[in-house]
Amino acid sequence: QVQLVESGGGVVQPGGSRRLSCSASGVSFSTYGMHWVRQAPGKGLEWVASIRYDGSSKYSADSVKGRFTISRDNSNNTLHLQMNSLRPEDTAVYYCAKGHRPYYDRSYFDYWGQGTLVTVSS
Amino acid sequence: DIQMTQSPSSLSASIGDRVTITCQANQDISHHLNWYQQKTGKAPKVLIYDASNLEPGVPSRFSGGGSGTDFSFTINNLQPEDIATYYCQQSDDLPPTFGGGTKVEIK
């Protein structure tokens, strides 16, 4: 079955960087768009970034544009989120999620990882 | 960006009740509306996709409807395991956007 496992969370100082990874198994990874969604403590879900199945297009929320970069390594079934210039308001659980429809940017998220907590604090 | 307005933000109901949540988009999103359930400390799980389609394995007491800008999500015969926060999400256009969530509690 499909499994998504995030890693890389932890405590980071404001202005610092962190790289999150999401390892996928049980799925033809290179066929699907992948996404990052975050959830600040006690808050709702916020989409962060998406990447096309082949990596040819990337999209990111205005709140992270210019600071966060989504990427993927289809040979290793891994999704990444490089986070730079981190701010306290970036503190959240970060989930990776798989798009349902193959080769399609716009789709619902049918599988989610367990999430990894990033805390931005001095 | 498409804005999603979900209501109510919380509700309390009894076991066996019917619960309805609404979600409104600020522009036409056709049927591209999805509903997720999130239990405390867990990742979200899709229940309904494309407004009214039940994700495989999801109990039939969950249902959804609507099109265009107005959508609804219903839990028939509320069960204790349905305690969670529910979110709508549009997948009609990028960026995907979520409603603010509805926390469902047992009375």
Side-chain angles (χ1 to χ4, degrees):
Chain A
Q1 72 278 22
V2 178
Q3 273 200 308
L4 302 175
V5 180
E6 300 97 338
S7 59
V11 180
V12 59
Q13 291 192 335
S17 298
R18 201 80 178 180
R19 190 192 198 207
L20 304 183
S21 297
C22 171
S23 179
S25 61
V27 61
S28 181
F29 182 74
S30 61
T31 304
Y32 296 93
M34 293 296 296
H35 314 269
W36 289 99
V37 177
R38 69 183 180 183
Q39 186 170 36
K43 302 296 184 183
L45 301 172
E46 179 190 15
W47 169 79
V48 174
S50 299
I51 187 167
R52 190 169 285 181
Y53 67 95
D54 59 357
S56 61
S57 288
K58 303 175 185 182
Y59 313 90
S60 59
D62 288 345
S63 58
V64 306
K65 202 160 289 185
R67 301 187 299 122
F68 290 12
T69 302
I70 189 171
S71 63
R72 66 190 299 159
D73 178 353
N74 284 348
S75 62
N76 287 304
N77 291 354
T78 306
L79 176 72
H80 300 289
L81 185 67
Q82 177 65 44
M83 305 186 295
N84 299 329
S85 302
L86 282 159
R87 305 166 180 167
E89 55 264 36
D90 295 319
T91 294
V93 174
Y94 286 74
Y95 296 101
C96 67
K98 171 189 162 293
H100 175 72
R101 295 187 177 91
Y103 309 115
Y104 202 64
D105 289 344
R106 287 167 276 178
S107 177
Y108 68 94
F109 310 135
D110 59 357
Y111 289 94
W112 297 63
Q114 84 286 354
T116 188
L117 175 63
V118 175
T119 302
V120 184
S121 173
S122 53
Chain B
D1 298 4
I2 298 174
Q3 307 301 319
M4 307 302 297
T5 303
Q6 189 176 337
S7 62
S9 57
S10 66
L11 65 88
S12 182
S14 299
I15 298 300
D17 280 355
R18 170 183 290 181
V19 165
T20 297
I21 300 167
T22 63
C23 188
Q24 186 173 60
N26 67 347
Q27 65 186 71
D28 190 337
I29 60 170
S30 183
H31 60 284
H32 301 126
L33 190 285
N34 314 296
W35 292 94
Y36 298 85
Q37 176 192 65
Q38 186 180 32
K39 296 184 177 180
T40 302
K42 300 294 187 182
K45 170 189 172 185
V46 64
L47 300 182
I48 303 287
Y49 66 94
D50 289 346
S52 61
N53 294 286
L54 200 65
E55 182 76 355
V58 173
S60 59
R61 65 179 180 275
F62 296 99
S63 64
S67 67
T69 60
D70 295 294
F71 301 86
S72 64
F73 170 81
T74 298
I75 309 173
N76 284 298
N77 187 21
L78 185 70
Q79 296 299 299
E81 60 265 32
D82 300 335
I83 299 312
T85 300
Y86 295 84
Y87 295 91
C88 63
Q89 175 245 334
Q90 66 82 16
S91 52
D92 186 69
D93 199 6
L94 292 171
T97 43
F98 292 90
T102 297
K103 186 174 185 178
V104 174
E105 298 175 318
I106 297 293
K107 193 180 293 182

